Amino acid sequence: YTTLFRSGKYSNAFQERIRGKNIKVEHALSGAQEIAKLPMQMWNFMLEYCIAGHHSGLPDGGTKADSADMATLHGILKRRAEDYFSYKNEVHTEIPDNHIEKILKKCRNCEELIEVYAFLTRYIYSCLTDADFIDTEHFVCPYTDRMVTGDFRKAYERVCAFIDGFKAETILQKSRGDIQKQVYKSMDDDSDIYTINMPTGSGKTLCSIRAALEMAIEKDKKRIIYVIPYVSIIEQTAEIFNDIFGDVLPVIQHQSNFDFDREDQDENALASDKIKKACENWDAPLIVTTNIQFFESLYNYRSSRLRKLHNLSNSIVIFDEVHMLPSEYIQPCIKAIGYITKFIGSKALLMSATMPDYSKFI
């Protein structure tokens, strides 16, 4: 289905444009119009939204009364497209499996159906736009290297050795060790969401990254995303991780104060350009970021934000100081955590010294 988003590029006008002719061609609407012609399925509108907005951002739906000059989906579908039908000689449209329909049919009410439908639409949009960005990048710069790799197992061994190196002589030190052991034991089950309720000074940061690394290895997860409310804590946490295992598991900071071109990068640090590219779509094994960056990746409508969403799948997401989630947005934040664990195969670790009761928001 999503290959149809390229169909507008088969028009003569678009081919003239990419060969240097200074003309304006709207190619995004062609694929959306082709989807609209297909037999109606629950996911058709999802793909119409994604294809129509793969450059400009997900559009509003609008109404059937909207005219062609309006920027809504209904308006876009009424616009005249260039002759692009030669795409049918190369692109074959296949009807996908009805997995999305199975998910939607499990929704308990209309409100939940709309919210899940919107989330899945943004997820598909993320897959589409990130692939489009990377394809374009490879076309313009064929030798671009954006690969960021790391070794979870070696990082886990480093963290374990570091934690085991702490003394356990005083009552406080022994208590800290006992609390950490309880945390590791509580994560032996196959839950999707875990809570780490540890008092201040008991080693939550090291305990959580050790637990996440162990889980990533055992569950074959592709990345760990550490979400923190304050920039100052991010810098402190990233420095701790870099000191312990930065040479075997690069720490990608995605926050507003981070200087990609800082002069103190040592020979083991990633090149500035590669760090920037990893922050575009979070295609890296370890990301340390802010609450704002994380939740914008789930709820925004722009491709520059949403292209990260699909890389939240099959991951371990740690929410440090989870009690600091914004109270005015607490319900959508909690629902977002539910979406990534229920629908895209991720695990969430909620961590705090004062763990709130979020059950009434679920």
Side-chain angles (χ1 to χ4, degrees):
Y1 261 55
T2 50
T3 54
L4 289 176
F5 93 101
R6 299 183 186 276
S7 59
K9 297 181 179 180
Y10 283 79
S11 71
N12 291 333
F14 185 85
Q15 291 300 314
E16 290 176 1
R17 174 177 170 77
I18 63 174
R19 285 166 174 77
K21 189 172 183 179
N22 186 21
I23 57 175
K24 184 178 180 180
V25 182
E26 187 177 14
H27 73 278
L29 64 88
S30 304
Q33 291 178 345
E34 283 296 285
I35 292 291
K37 296 174 184 177
L38 296 174
M40 184 61 192
Q41 302 286 345
M42 292 185 74
W43 55 77
N44 281 28
F45 280 120
M46 288 182 179
L47 302 182
E48 290 172 28
Y49 277 111
C50 294
I51 295 173
H54 74 272
H55 282 304
S56 57
L58 284 169
D60 289 335
T63 68
K64 291 182 179 180
D66 291 349
S67 59
D69 61 341
M70 298 180 69
T72 63
L73 180 61
H74 281 285
I76 291 170
L77 293 175
K78 290 179 180 178
R79 296 175 189 172
R80 179 186 174 278
E82 300 286 341
D83 184 352
Y84 57 90
F85 295 103
S86 61
Y87 87 91
K88 293 183 179 180
N89 297 326
E90 297 184 23
V91 177
H92 174 63
T93 303
E94 296 182 356
I95 304 299
D97 182 71
N98 63 349
H99 181 63
I100 292 176
E101 187 172 341
K102 292 176 182 176
I103 293 175
L104 295 173
K105 285 184 175 180
K106 293 180 180 179
C107 293
R108 296 168 293 183
N109 51 54
C110 185
E111 180 182 358
E112 182 178 348
L113 174 64
I114 293 171
E115 291 175 349
V116 173
Y117 197 97
F119 168 74
L120 294 175
T121 300
R122 293 191 295 271
Y123 182 83
I124 294 171
Y125 182 79
S126 172
C127 297
L128 177 63
T129 54
D130 191 39
D132 192 34
F133 273 113
I134 292 174
D135 280 353
T136 302
E137 180 181 81
H138 286 171
F139 178 80
V140 176
C141 304
Y143 303 106
T144 298
D145 179 16
R146 57 166 50 241
M147 184 67 69
V148 179
T149 60
D151 192 322
F152 284 153
R153 193 169 295 277
K154 287 183 179 179
Y156 174 71
E157 291 171 356
R158 296 273 187 90
V159 170
C160 289
F162 188 83
I163 294 175
D164 292 343
F166 287 119
K167 294 181 179 180
E169 298 172 350
T170 67
I171 295 177
L172 178 59
Q173 291 169 345
K174 291 178 181 178
S175 298
R176 183 185 295 119
D178 291 339
I179 292 172
Q180 292 175 359
K181 290 177 183 177
Q182 290 176 22
V183 171
Y184 306 140
K185 186 177 181 179
S186 69
M187 295 189 181
D188 287 342
D189 62 15
D190 198 29
S191 300
D192 291 328
I193 300 176
Y194 302 86
T195 57
I196 300 179
N197 193 358
M198 299 173 64
T200 302
S202 58
K204 291 193 300 297
T205 300
L206 292 177
C207 184
S208 63
I209 195 64
R210 172 177 169 169
L213 285 166
E214 184 174 15
M215 190 180 299
I217 295 166
E218 291 180 353
K219 305 296 183 182
D220 195 27
K221 299 301 181 183
K222 61 183 180 181
R223 65 180 48 84
I224 296 171
I225 304 169
Y226 212 103
V227 185
I228 302 174
Y230 300 121
V231 170
S232 59
I233 304 178
I234 287 179
E235 294 171 343
Q236 178 183 343
T237 302
E239 183 177 357
I240 292 171
F241 292 166
N242 267 318
D243 289 344
I244 299 174
F245 54 70
D247 58 328
V248 296
L249 182 61
V251 183
I252 304 298
Q253 286 190 63
H254 191 185
Q255 47 102 345
S256 58
N257 285 354
F258 184 74
D259 181 7
F260 293 104
D261 301 310
R262 67 194 192 282
E263 296 179 355
D264 64 339
Q265 290 184 355
D266 60 30
E267 61 181 7
N268 294 320
L270 291 174
S272 172
D273 188 54
K274 189 175 285 190
I275 297 174
K276 291 179 182 178
K277 291 186 182 303
C279 287
E280 291 173 355
N281 65 351
W282 288 1
D283 190 7
L286 177 59
I287 302 288
V288 182
T289 190
T290 62
N291 286 341
I292 292 175
Q293 287 284 355
F294 180 82
F295 289 108
E296 277 195 344
S297 301
L298 283 128
Y299 283 116
N300 208 286
Y301 73 99
R302 304 291 299 184
S303 56
S304 58
R305 301 292 188 188
L306 279 178
R307 63 180 291 197
K308 302 189 292 289
L309 172 53
H310 75 101
N311 279 328
L312 303 184
S313 65
N314 196 32
S315 301
I316 310 270
V317 186
I318 304 170
F319 295 90
D320 191 12
E321 308 292 353
V322 71
H323 61 277
M324 294 301 297
L325 291 177
S327 57
E328 63 270 34
Y329 302 119
I330 192 65
Q331 190 167 36
C333 288
I334 296 300
K335 286 188 175 182
I337 295 171
Y339 296 152
I340 65 171
T341 55
K342 185 176 182 180
F343 299 127
I344 59 176
S346 292
K347 304 277 188 181
L349 278 59
L350 311 185
M351 185 165 62
S352 176
T354 54
M355 185 65 66
D357 180 9
Y358 289 131
S359 58
K360 63 181 179 181
F361 299 108
I362 299 175

